[in-house]
Amino acid sequence: MRLLVINPNSSTSVTQHIAAAARMAAYANDEILAVEASGAPPLIVSEADARLAEQAVVNTVRSIESPLDGVIVASFGDTGADALRAFLPCPVVGIGHASLLTAAALGGPFAIVSFAPAVVPSMQAMVEHYQMQHLLSGIHVIDSPLPDDPGEIQTTTADALQALCQQVAQQGNCRSIILAGGPLAGLALRIAPALPLPIIDATMAAVQLQRSLQLFGGRADK
């Protein structure tokens, strides 16, 4: 399975986290091509950021000429996923949708945990877009200054995010937690041992969903 994993922001350091998480979920013979969207904002927080990033995602993917079995859009808002589906013959999976489907499969309500208050409106809108709001127990975020380098977000916020996840789990209102946001890729595995319930890494969930899609036919032009 040859997957393109595109980071819709322009941060190389975030792409490195995303690539590492994708490869942890991949099989040994899978090929993961991880790139960031050229010309996109360094971090997607607002709707304006998302609009700029969507065009950057499309332009970047169009520039890749080698054949692909699937594409993963590695922002929790699935930025540009619908636009890519309009012209690509292979399956396109967003990490946001993949994580919601995984949480639904685990059963019962789920919570979302992320790194900044500014991302809450877009995450709420994304859940509603996929008609999953009836399963959402809440969106919980920390409120701490963010580093200049988005790739350092998970390093500087890991302890606070773990504490928040523990607090959410102890409330007893959910059966799983989604750790949301491309900059947090891979962090869920580090937090998981401290929690009494599943915590979902969105990037890894997307790789697993792509594997299922390949099993059932994969490319739309077959």
Side-chain angles (χ1 to χ4, degrees), residues 155-175:
T155 301
T156 60
T157 62
D159 290 344
L161 286 167
Q162 178 173 313
L164 180 56
C165 286
Q166 290 173 321
Q167 178 183 338
V168 170
Q170 289 167 2
Q171 290 172 354
N173 296 323
C174 63
R175 294 189 63 179

Side-chain angles (χ1 to χ4, degrees), residues 32-166:
I32 303 294
L33 173 62
V35 299
E36 57 268 6
S38 178
L43 188 63
I44 300 171
V45 175
S46 67
E47 285 298 318
D49 294 335
R51 286 192 294 271
L52 289 173
E54 179 171 341
Q55 189 58 53
V57 165
V58 170
N59 293 343
T60 301
V61 173
R62 285 191 181 279
S63 71
I64 296 173
E65 298 179 354
S66 55
L68 301 166
D69 294 312
V71 175
I72 290 174
V73 178
S75 75
F76 197 72
D78 296 348
T79 307
D82 287 340
L84 294 180
R85 292 186 187 106
F87 68 88
L88 287 176
C90 60
V92 177
V93 170
I95 66 170
H97 195 196
S99 65
L100 295 180
L101 292 173
T102 303
L106 286 168
F110 61 85
I112 295 173
V113 170
S114 196
F115 57 83
V119 303
V120 172
S122 62
M123 289 183 175
Q124 181 69 43
M126 190 272 293
V127 173
E128 293 174 1
H129 173 72
Y130 290 119
Q131 300 182 18
M132 295 277 206
Q133 62 268 30
H134 63 291
L135 293 175
L136 178 65
S137 68
I139 300 175
H140 310 267
V141 296
I142 59 172
D143 190 3
S144 302
L146 298 179
D148 292 335
D149 179 2
E152 294 297 317
I153 288 175
Q154 69 170 263
T155 301
T156 60
T157 62
D159 290 344
L161 286 167
Q162 178 173 313
L164 180 56
C165 286
Q166 290 173 321

